[in-house]
Amino acid sequence: MLTKQERERKIEGSSKMIAKAVVSSILITLVSFSPILFLTGQEHKLFSPLVWTKTFAMIGSAFVAVFVVPVLMVLLLKGRVRPEKEHPVSRFFIYLYSPVIRWCLKWKKTTIVISLALVLLSIPLVMRLGREFMPPLDEGSLLFMPVTMPDVSNSEIKRIMQVQDKLMLNVPEVKNVLGKAGRASTATDNAPISMIETIILLKPQSEWRKGISKNDIINELNAKLQIPGVINGWTQPIINRINMLSTGIRTDVGVKIYGQSLDTINRLAQEFKKVLQGTKGVADLYVEPITGGKYIDIRIKREELGRYGLSIDDVNMFIETALGGARIVQTVEGRRRFSVSVRMGQEFRNTVEKLEQLPIVTMNSGPVPLSAIADVVIEEGPPMISSENAMLRGTLLFNVRDRDLGSTVDEAKQKLETAVKNLPKGYFLDWSGQYESQVRAERRLMVILPIVLLIITIILYFTFHTIREVLIVLSSIPVALVGGAYSLYFFDVNFSVAVAVGFIALFGIAVETGVLMLVYMNNSLFKKVRKAKGEGKVINKTVVEDAVFDGAVLRVRPKLMTVIVDILGLMPVLLATGTGSDVMKPITIPFVFGLITSTLFVLIVLPVLYAIVREYELKKYGKLQINEMAND
């Protein structure tokens, strides 16, 4: 049994050995999470709380591991400390792990070739992964956004909405529908009367027909709602608002066409629509109406005004009063004020002929019809003018269904390349919607990730003071990513910002476990070499392999404990169902399965690489350059 002084000295030596590795591992993990903070938009709001929570949790755990745990060990560890070989859990894992690591150390090249083969075989799977901005969140409801012709009347749009509501309620999964046409009573809603927004509340998924999915419901509703003159569009309420606020596009993808003439913009949009029709994955394809609005144009005959003793102001005042309404009084009811306006009745102004017959009072000839002093005609014009960055804009809109966003837009871009080359001077295109957010996030990550990798390399170098050991630790990254790549393929998950967050977390944990393994093997090799020199033995390949074996096998329990705790902590997220799980699962899937392959690499391949590097070092220099983490 150890005395108190011996126990304190042993704990102090072990703590010194672990402290440097723990601090460097935590720094690496925190740095690996930092790219998430440089994301912008909705992805930043979604994932930045994860980074800050992880940051403070890791800082707290570092403080506890370095300062609190050694003190508690001195106070609470009493009596005989059981060696690692006698621990029942360790004995079980050592029994399984020892023959594997012995075989791998005997057949080093074969082990390396197998690991490289696993990495190479994952490349075709990675190339076949789809790309999207964010995993589609199942909100439990749908937003139906059809558009009609710009000159649709109030009575017709009401009739269309009633027909649509009745047809949608015939689908068993639909619980309730609530529709709106035109703009709401707010200055932020500029929707024209031709645009309908219908929120469709769905029943709980447990009440759906067997084997039916949300896409099946959308396809069934879309087939029922094929009304002439109405172009259907499908999305979800929350994501639609986010898209509208961030990009001004109410669908997944929008092709913005900028120019100087609305007629030319509309012509180009119609041409592009024909090009994209039939593209796999493109759904709800339509051109945002920028022409086709109907306007009443009253052209005053100036030469006739003098005959009747009228001025242009007199005629304009009459037209404003008769058609638009003139305010005659304001009533006060408590704290509220109401303006009272008068105008001609609906039956006197609902046709062009009746407008021409409106009587205007003159000073000389009495009342005369409006047609005597003005021509009343109906002309076409833009129903709504959209501008962006001081330029007129038209938009070709479409959703992506039954295919990933990235490949769909790539194919659409290829089809439009020829058409874009023939654009008139002063006209250009811009791809927007969720695709715009996806491109922005990818560009930021492509800049930030190399910087983060460089910082991690510097931290590792200051930890081990040799580039060989830095490369050994960094070699765990591709093998760790292999498990994530295989899991994405087999779970049919597209690559997105959420998946990137999962890989970033996996990257930090993989490097962290690699650091701990290397520290244990360095410490084991240092002890073996010191013992061999003390006994006058020759340092050879056998000494290196025995040191690697002891450093790997005798520390298998703490390594597996770290991995198992991480996996068990994420199992509730991996197995979760319901709203929100759609976004969190793509983070968890590559992290959990990548952690499994990373652990196998750390336990099997990394010791083999370490042994190869040390044997090469011994053969070339005749001695080992060991970084002594701590001398206990």
Side-chain angles (χ1 to χ4, degrees):
M1 184 180 297
L2 297 176
T3 64
K4 181 178 179 181
Q5 291 75 15
E6 291 174 338
R7 186 170 66 251
E8 289 179 357
R9 187 169 61 254
K10 193 170 185 65
I11 291 174
E12 181 184 358
S14 300
S15 300
K16 288 181 180 179
M17 183 193 75
I18 297 297
K20 192 174 183 180
V22 169
V23 172
S24 63
S25 299
I26 290 175
L27 285 176
I28 289 169
T29 305
L30 295 180
V31 170
S32 67
F33 267 83
S34 61
I36 304 173
L37 294 176
F38 291 90
L39 298 174
T40 58
Q42 55 179 302
E43 64 272 22
H44 172 77
K45 296 177 181 178
L46 184 63
F47 298 120
S48 60
L50 173 68
V51 179
W52 292 116
T53 303
K54 182 75 172 178
T55 299
F56 289 110
M58 293 294 287
I59 293 173
S61 64
F63 178 82
V64 171
V66 175
F67 297 105
V68 179
V69 171
V71 176
L72 293 177
M73 291 176 66
V74 173
L75 295 175
L76 301 179
L77 284 180
K78 304 295 183 180
R80 179 174 175 270
V81 178
R82 183 182 300 177
E84 191 71 22
K85 292 182 179 180
E86 297 182 9
H87 196 285
V89 177
S90 297
R91 287 170 57 188
F92 173 74
F93 285 115
I94 290 173
Y95 174 77
L96 297 178
Y97 180 50
S98 297
V100 176
I101 190 64
R102 283 294 188 191
W103 186 91
C104 292
L105 289 174
K106 181 179 180 181
W107 303 96
K108 298 183 184 68
K109 294 182 179 179
T110 304
T111 304
I112 299 300
V113 169
I114 293 174
S115 62
L116 288 176
L118 290 174
V119 174
L120 295 176
L121 288 174
S122 68
I123 294 177
L125 302 183
V126 172
M127 300 299 293
R128 294 172 63 179
L129 289 177
R131 295 179 292 115
E132 59 189 5
F133 171 53
M134 291 287 287
L137 174 64
D138 186 2
E139 301 175 17
S141 58
L142 299 172
L143 181 62
F144 180 48
M145 297 185 66
V147 292
T148 63
M149 299 303 294
D151 56 352
V152 65
S153 64
N154 287 349
S155 58
E156 180 63 14
I157 203 71
K158 292 177 183 177
R159 186 191 68 82
I160 291 175
M161 287 183 62
Q162 290 175 342
V163 171
Q164 290 175 344
D165 290 351
K166 291 179 181 178
L167 292 173
M168 286 186 284
L169 287 172
N170 289 331
V171 176
E173 286 73 22
V174 175
K175 180 181 180 181
N176 197 6
V177 295
L178 176 64
K180 173 186 76 71
R183 59 173 291 177
S185 299
T186 171
T188 61
D189 188 358
N190 60 349
I193 191 69
S194 59
M195 189 173 75
I196 301 173
E197 297 180 6
T198 301
I199 296 178
I200 306 170
L201 300 179
L202 300 177
K203 296 178 181 178
Q205 196 165 358
S206 59
E207 300 179 21
W208 293 4
R209 286 167 288 175
K210 186 176 181 180
I212 195 170
S213 65
K214 194 170 185 179
N215 276 343
D216 296 331
I217 296 174
I218 294 176
N219 293 332
E220 183 177 347
L221 288 170
N222 193 60
K224 287 179 176 290
L225 298 172
Q226 295 300 317
I227 300 174
V230 180
I231 303 173
N232 296 341
W234 297 92
T235 180
Q236 298 183 99
I238 298 176
I239 191 64
N240 174 70
R241 298 305 176 197
I242 293 174
N243 289 339
M244 288 289 290
L245 290 173
S246 60
T247 64
I249 300 299
R250 58 178 174 268
T251 55
D252 295 339
V253 184
V255 184
K256 295 179 179 178
I257 307 169
Y258 297 91
Q260 303 298 326
S261 171
L262 290 176
D263 292 332
T264 305
I265 291 174
N266 183 65
R267 177 180 60 82
L268 293 173
Q270 297 294 343
E271 292 178 1
F272 297 159
K273 178 183 176 182
K274 294 179 181 178
V275 174
L276 296 183
Q277 282 179 340
T279 304
K280 183 181 177 182
V282 174
D284 310 327
L285 177 65
Y286 69 96
V287 176
E288 185 178 38
I290 57 175
T291 60
K294 296 295 189 293
Y295 295 89
I296 298 175
D297 190 6
I298 301 177
R299 303 169 183 172
I300 299 175
K301 302 176 183 177
R302 295 174 179 266
E303 65 278 4
E304 300 291 337
L305 295 182
R307 179 181 302 177
Y308 299 104
L310 297 172
S311 66
I312 292 179
D313 289 339
D314 295 333
V315 179
N316 287 337
M317 181 66 68
F318 170 76
I319 294 171
E320 179 184 355
T321 303
L323 302 183
R327 191 176 72 173
I328 58 172
V329 70
Q330 187 180 63
T331 64
V332 179
E333 298 181 12
R335 297 179 60 86
R336 296 180 297 176
R337 287 169 171 78
F338 301 92
S339 297
V340 179
S341 302
V342 295
R343 61 177 176 175
M344 290 288 186
Q346 180 72 26
E347 64 274 10
F348 294 99
R349 52 184 173 83
N350 54 8
T351 65
V352 174
E353 291 76 15
K354 291 182 178 180
L355 289 177
E356 292 176 339
Q357 296 173 8
L358 291 177
I360 180 171
V361 180
T362 66
M363 299 296 294
N364 302 330
S365 306
V368 297
L370 183 60
S371 59
I373 57 173
D375 293 326
V376 182
V377 296
I378 295 180
E379 291 190 346
E380 287 194 357
M384 182 173 64
I385 298 176
S386 299
S387 67
E388 189 173 333
N389 296 327
M391 297 192 68
L392 297 177
R393 187 202 77 190
T395 313
L396 175 63
L397 304 170
F398 64 89
N399 288 315
V400 177
R401 207 150 45 236
D402 300 326
R403 191 181 180 186
D404 65 285
L405 180 67
S407 61
T408 302
V409 175
D410 290 342
E411 183 177 348
K413 277 188 170 183
Q414 291 177 0
K415 289 187 175 182
L416 287 183
E417 280 182 358
T418 304
V420 170
K421 292 179 181 178
N422 300 325
L423 283 178
K425 186 177 180 180
Y427 292 79
F428 61 94
L429 305 183
D430 186 20
W431 291 80
S432 188
Q434 287 195 26
Y435 179 76
E436 179 182 351
S437 302
Q438 175 186 333
V439 172
R440 182 187 65 245
E442 289 177 351
R443 287 176 178 173
R444 284 182 176 272
L445 290 176
M446 290 296 290
V447 174
I448 299 301
L449 286 179
I451 298 175
V452 169
L453 185 61
L454 177 62
I455 296 174
I456 289 176
T457 303
I458 294 173
I459 294 174
L460 289 174
Y461 183 79
F462 281 113
T463 302
F464 296 108
H465 302 290
T466 169
I467 196 64
R468 292 193 188 95
E469 296 182 5
V470 172
L471 295 177
I472 291 174
V473 174
L474 293 180
S475 64
S476 64
I477 296 174
V479 182
L481 301 184
V482 164
Y486 281 113
S487 64
L488 293 179
Y489 178 78
F490 288 111
F491 281 91
D492 195 22
V493 176
N494 294 324
F495 188 85
S496 63
V497 175
V499 172
V501 171
F503 274 113
I504 289 171
L506 173 62
F507 171 78
I509 298 297
V511 175
E512 179 184 356
T513 53
V515 169
L516 293 176
M517 172 62 89
L518 207 60
V519 168
Y520 285 132
M521 289 191 295
N522 267 345
N523 192 62
S524 175
L525 185 60
F526 177 78
K527 290 180 179 179
K528 290 284 184 181
V529 171
R530 185 175 60 179
K531 182 179 179 180
K533 288 181 178 179
E535 296 176 354
K537 295 182 180 178
V538 179
I539 309 299
N540 54 21
K541 177 180 176 181
T542 304
V543 175
V544 174
E545 290 184 353
D546 289 342
V548 171
F549 179 83
D550 290 345
V553 172
L554 297 182
R555 302 302 184 196
V556 66
R557 182 171 59 91
K559 299 185 191 90
L560 290 179
M561 284 174 58
T562 304
V563 174
I564 291 173
V565 167
D566 287 335
I567 293 176
L568 291 179
L570 291 170
M571 288 306 292
V573 181
L574 188 63
L575 302 176
T577 58
T579 305
S581 61
D582 312 76
V583 177
M584 300 309 297
K585 279 188 177 181
I587 303 176
T588 311
I589 288 174
F591 183 78
V592 170
F593 291 93
L595 200 58
I596 294 174
T597 56
S598 172
T599 304
L600 293 176
F601 170 83
V602 168
L603 293 177
I604 297 174
V605 184
L606 193 143
V608 172
L609 282 175
Y610 183 83
I612 292 175
V613 170
R614 290 306 188 187
E615 290 172 8
Y616 171 79
E617 187 179 290
L618 186 63
K619 181 179 179 181
K620 184 176 182 180
Y621 301 106
K623 62 178 182 177
L624 296 174
Q625 300 174 350
I626 308 171
N627 177 30
E628 181 186 356
M629 299 296 292
N631 186 1
D632 60 342

